[in-house]
Amino acid sequence: MAEAGADAIIAHVGTTVGGAIGVRDAVCSLDEAVERTQKIIEAARRVRKDIFFLSHGGPISAPKDAAYVNERTDCVGFVGASSLERIGIEQPLIDITRRFKAIPVQNRGLKSTTKRRNS
């Protein structure tokens, strides 16, 4: 990508871990993600010095994870995909579904429905 002239390179360290349907076990730890990310950065910088770098994937699935990577590499940001579009909304969806299921139902509503079905 550096040779092709990319202005930004995303250091992708694997399928994002977490959430209801995400990978269960990280292919690498957060510290290994830091190491892999910096190796990608160093390889690209051997070609060009004017690229900026972002992290993505693997165990980097929450803001604290991205901050950890940024603090230990030359990354200037994070590219969110499933960590934003899926993982970030799963728990709120579960929570609101539970709240809807907990709404009390009046018995008279159930009785009238039952009578109509048997008629």
Side-chain angles (χ1 to χ4, degrees):
M1 293 305 299
E3 290 172 356
D7 294 318
I9 292 180
I10 301 166
H12 191 298
V13 295
T15 305
T16 302
V17 174
I21 62 170
V23 174
R24 293 287 175 219
D25 296 315
V27 182
C28 67
S29 69
L30 201 50
D31 286 326
E32 289 169 329
V34 165
E35 185 178 328
R36 289 179 186 186
T37 297
Q38 193 60 37
K39 282 182 180 179
I40 292 169
I41 292 168
E42 290 167 5
R45 283 200 174 138
R46 283 194 289 275
V47 177
R48 288 191 24 235
K49 305 279 187 227
D50 61 340
I51 303 169
F52 69 92
F53 299 91
L54 307 166
S55 66
H56 174 76
I60 312 167
S61 62
K64 65 179 175 48
D65 305 328
Y68 186 89
V69 172
N70 284 359
E71 291 165 2
R72 290 160 177 80
T73 68
D74 295 328
C75 279
V76 297
F78 170 74
V79 174
S82 59
S83 58
L84 297 172
E85 67 199 23
R86 179 179 57 78
I87 296 172
I89 64 168
E90 284 178 351
Q91 194 57 50
L93 285 174
I94 291 167
D95 294 344
I96 198 163
T97 300
R98 287 183 177 142
R99 289 175 43 210
F100 273 112
K101 288 177 70 175
I103 295 172
V105 176
Q106 295 185 29
N107 287 335
R108 66 175 183 223
L110 290 174
K111 290 178 185 175
S112 64
T113 302
T114 305
K115 287 179 185 175
R116 276 188 258 140
R117 285 185 189 163
N118 293 334
S119 301

